[in-house]
Amino acid sequence: MTAPFAIIAALTIASAVCAMALRNLVHCALSLTLTFAGLAALYLQLDAQFVGFAQILIYIGAVAILIVVAILLTRGSGPAQQPILSPLWIGGVAVAVVVFSLLTAMIASSSVTRRGFAPPQPDITVRQIGNQLMTKYILPLEVIGLLLTAALIGAVIIAMQEKETK
Amino acid sequence: MADTLDQLFVLLKHSVVGWLPAQWQPLGSAIISVAAIILIFAGLFAITTVLERKGLGRIQNRYGPNRVGPYGVLQPLADGLKALTKEDIVPRAADQVVHFLAPLILVVPVFLALAVVPVGRNMVAVDLDAGVLFFFAVGAATELSVFMAGWSSRNKYSMLGAMRAIAQMISYEVPLILSAVTVIMMVGSLSTVRIVEAQGSYSGWLPDWHVFTPWGLAGFVLFIIAGMAESNRSPFDLPEGESEIIAGYYIEYSGFKFALFFLGEYIGMFAISGLAITLFLGGWHAPFSFLTWIPSYVWFFTKLLGIIALFIWVRGTLPRLRMDQLMNFAWKFMLPMALINLVTAGVWHFMPPGIVRWLVCSLLVLAPYVALARGLLQHKAIGKRTYRYAD
């Protein structure tokens, strides 16, 4: 474990804990944003430039904004009245333990760990990702692109129908 | 001689780095690049404020600042001293931590974005493989800063300003990125250095910049308009509309924190203009083949000052938009034009070069422009302006 990894991991985990534990919902959302940034830093540390930047662009630029706007539109931004710990916390802990042990078991049984601790580092450039998207994965890309463009234009057309005034 | 002059700063940096012991060299090189970016663009910020106030004064038929120094050129110095010595007031109800962090979260990403803008031959802080993506990714963090400033002030006006700013930034980010995608499609790279290199050739003595193609011209205009909106410049300065919501999201900021917001806004404008130059105006390349002996960084900063002059001119000329006009313009005009421009770029790529390609692509840009403008103005009678009260 290298020092940068330790710092990034500690920051990510601490901000994730804050996102659950803070009383003010907007503070929770902001610490969740910090968690997203920590994840992006982890991707970048693994030399995955494209995923890292896409994570920042989508999660910090769009998802975090969506969350804070949703919080402001649905309730007051003051601190919540009810206690932070839900009465069902035992169930939550049980689910977390089950998921964690399942993930650990899966990772332990996968072929990645048997390959030893220094796997050959794949040198994936953005160009290679683009080439793969344009050749091997062209159909999923086209379907997603069509879906998103249709959604975008649909939203504009819904907004286009201005209400008749007078 | 011309080559040495062109690479002057690169050579200077190499010689300074060369004195350092080997294990400190990468760190030293990074620190020199960062210091250069911060110093140069902060200096440009100071020059721009005085140019803008002078220019706006000229447009509005008044003098502008003329008291500090000859012709008021030392005004930024006085402004800076004033901002530094002013009392920093934080409202009692404000959320202290978030209120403190908001200006920092604005300033850091906009400086980061400048790291991928090539300001001259071999003069880029980091040549990332995904440079343009990095630029837009760090730019996205500014929206969060605006929200933090507006929310933490616990002021209805600043909250309204933040909401306006977020709505505006998200809406205009779509055409901004879509118009940049055309260039990425044509060059086939996300690296800003590669994009500049792709525009380096000359046909005759005219340059092969992207702006001199139908799709490039449409993309450039869309990009500049969206960039103006992204950096909250007039006529898109609704978030700070003084007449309605006083100063928007930074209403509760004073002293140096306010100066940081001001700085962040201007650096953001430089970054967007720098990217526009990189994508469409040939980066640091000379506009004519017989002018290539002038150093590359001179051309970059000349173009940058040109775009800033355009921004100041637009600010002095156009009135502020209304909120619904702003949103309609983004979603009903800019977005369809950007999508059509993507198709135009594709057609341009696959047609053989020649006059037919020019005609077809120009038609593909102009016909939707006319049709959209006509369609959006359908129900509105545009005629001579009449004044109800002011006659």
Side-chain angles (χ1 to χ4, degrees):
Chain A
M1 195 159 73
T2 57
F5 174 79
I7 294 169
I8 294 167
L11 194 74
T12 312
I13 293 173
S15 58
V17 169
C18 284
M20 289 182 290
L22 288 176
R23 291 200 74 89
N24 194 324
L25 261 181
V26 176
H27 286 167
C28 295
L30 291 176
S31 10
L32 188 65
T33 314
L34 196 59
T35 316
F36 292 149
L39 285 179
L42 277 179
Y43 293 142
L44 290 177
Q45 209 217 349
L46 292 170
D47 273 342
Q49 272 189 12
F50 186 80
V51 185
F53 295 148
Q55 164 91 8
I56 297 176
L57 186 64
I58 293 165
Y59 278 88
I60 298 179
V63 174
I65 296 291
L66 192 69
I67 291 173
V68 291
V69 170
I71 289 173
L72 288 181
L73 288 181
T74 48
R75 63 182 81 192
S77 54
Q81 296 304 316
Q82 69 265 38
I84 291 167
L85 272 184
S86 149
L88 297 170
W89 65 275
I90 302 180
V93 168
V95 170
V97 167
V98 168
V99 170
F100 183 76
S101 46
L102 202 65
L103 280 177
T104 319
M106 297 289 263
I107 292 170
S109 67
S110 87
S111 61
V112 175
T113 48
R114 256 173 273 142
R115 237 189 286 155
F117 279 101
Q121 201 144 58
D123 188 27
I124 301 290
T125 60
V126 178
R127 168 170 290 272
Q128 280 166 305
I129 295 175
N131 279 338
Q132 287 288 310
L133 277 178
M134 278 296 156
T135 52
K136 199 174 170 190
Y137 302 102
I138 183 75
L139 190 66
L141 182 79
E142 298 264 317
V143 170
I144 293 171
L146 193 67
L147 187 72
L148 289 179
T149 315
L152 195 63
I153 295 174
V156 173
I157 286 180
I158 290 172
M160 200 72 113
Q161 291 164 348
E162 284 176 17
K163 284 192 192 105
E164 290 292 320
T165 47
K166 288 173 194 173
Chain B
M1 182 58 207
D3 265 2
T4 325
L5 208 59
D6 187 31
Q7 295 298 299
L8 183 65
F9 296 104
V10 181
L11 294 174
L12 211 64
K13 181 183 151 185
H14 280 303
S15 65
V16 171
V17 171
W19 292 335
L20 294 169
Q23 75 265 33
W24 292 103
Q25 280 184 359
L27 188 68
S29 155
I31 286 175
I32 291 173
S33 302
V34 169
I37 286 179
I38 290 178
L39 284 179
I40 289 173
F41 283 96
L44 195 63
F45 161 66
I47 296 170
T48 307
T49 50
V50 74
L51 282 181
E52 172 152 31
R53 292 172 67 178
K54 278 284 187 192
L56 283 181
R58 177 62 64 193
I59 290 171
Q60 293 161 356
N61 207 6
R62 56 188 172 82
Y63 286 118
N66 62 354
R67 285 285 168 262
V68 192
Y71 302 103
V73 287
L74 296 180
Q75 186 67 34
L77 211 65
D79 285 345
L81 278 177
K82 181 194 126 191
L84 271 173
T85 51
K86 232 177 161 180
E87 187 188 355
D88 178 30
I89 302 165
V90 182
R92 192 180 293 163
D95 196 302
Q96 307 289 332
V97 180
V98 182
H99 191 267
F100 176 76
L101 282 177
L104 299 181
I105 290 184
L106 179 70
V107 170
V108 172
V110 292
F111 271 115
L112 275 180
L114 283 171
V116 291
V117 177
V119 296
R121 191 178 279 123
N122 303 328
M123 284 165 80
V124 58
V126 274
D127 176 16
L128 284 176
D129 206 20
V132 181
L133 193 65
F134 171 83
F135 186 95
F136 289 126
V138 292
T142 55
E143 286 160 28
L144 206 66
S145 136
V146 166
F147 168 80
M148 285 166 72
W151 175 79
S152 68
S153 300
R154 294 287 158 87
N155 181 323
K156 293 283 186 289
Y157 288 119
S158 55
M159 194 68 238
L160 280 174
M163 285 323 218
R164 279 183 174 191
I166 290 171
Q168 173 180 330
M169 283 171 150
I170 289 181
S171 305
Y172 280 88
E173 206 165 356
V174 181
L176 184 80
I177 295 183
L178 279 178
S179 52
V181 163
T182 51
V183 175
I184 296 162
M185 264 166 58
M186 301 304 274
V187 177
S189 173
L190 277 165
S191 154
T192 45
V193 175
R194 288 278 312 274
I195 290 172
V196 173
E197 275 168 10
Q199 304 174 71
S201 56
Y202 294 88
S203 2
W205 42 270
L206 284 172
D208 291 337
W209 295 351
H210 289 141
V211 75
F212 298 127
T213 54
W215 60 270
L217 184 64
F220 177 67
V221 173
L222 288 171
F223 191 91
I224 283 289
I225 294 174
M228 227 178 255
E230 277 290 297
S231 48
N232 291 337
R233 290 281 301 180
S234 184
F236 301 105
D237 59 349
L238 282 105
E240 54 195 86
E242 295 91 342
S243 52
E244 308 132 39
I245 51 172
I246 307 170
Y249 50 89
Y250 46 68
I251 188 169
E252 296 290 5
Y253 283 89
S254 54
F256 204 66
K257 285 184 197 157
F258 176 77
L260 277 183
F261 269 111
F262 210 58
L263 175 77
E265 208 161 89
Y266 273 84
I267 302 290
M269 182 176 95
F270 299 154
I272 285 276
S273 317
L275 192 69
I277 292 167
T278 305
L279 291 176
F280 297 101
L281 294 183
W284 41 260
H285 285 296
F288 301 108
S289 57
F290 52 82
L291 287 176
T292 42
W293 54 273
I294 296 179
S296 51
Y297 44 86
V298 173
W299 285 121
F300 179 84
F301 283 102
T302 310
K303 289 172 190 174
L304 190 61
L305 283 173
I307 291 191
I308 290 169
L310 175 78
F311 276 21
I312 294 171
W313 182 19
V314 168
R315 179 175 171 183
T317 313
L318 293 178
R320 186 178 293 145
L321 291 178
R322 217 167 52 208
M323 197 66 199
D324 63 322
Q325 292 171 335
L326 181 90
M327 286 297 156
N328 282 347
F329 188 62
W331 292 102
K332 297 179 185 172
F333 183 78
M334 300 272 287
L335 177 67
M337 280 305 289
L339 285 174
I340 291 164
N341 199 31
L342 275 181
V343 179
T344 314
V347 171
W348 178 270
H349 185 66
F350 285 112
M351 277 182 80
I355 192 85
V356 183
R357 179 165 85 158
W358 265 93
L359 283 177
V360 169
C361 289
S362 306
L363 199 70
L364 267 175
V365 170
L366 283 176
Y369 171 73
V370 173
L372 266 175
R374 287 277 164 111
L376 288 176
L377 288 176
Q378 217 171 19
H379 306 295
K380 298 176 184 83
I382 303 284
K384 194 168 177 292
R385 182 177 294 231
T386 54
Y387 295 95
R388 207 174 308 165
Y389 301 111
D391 266 331

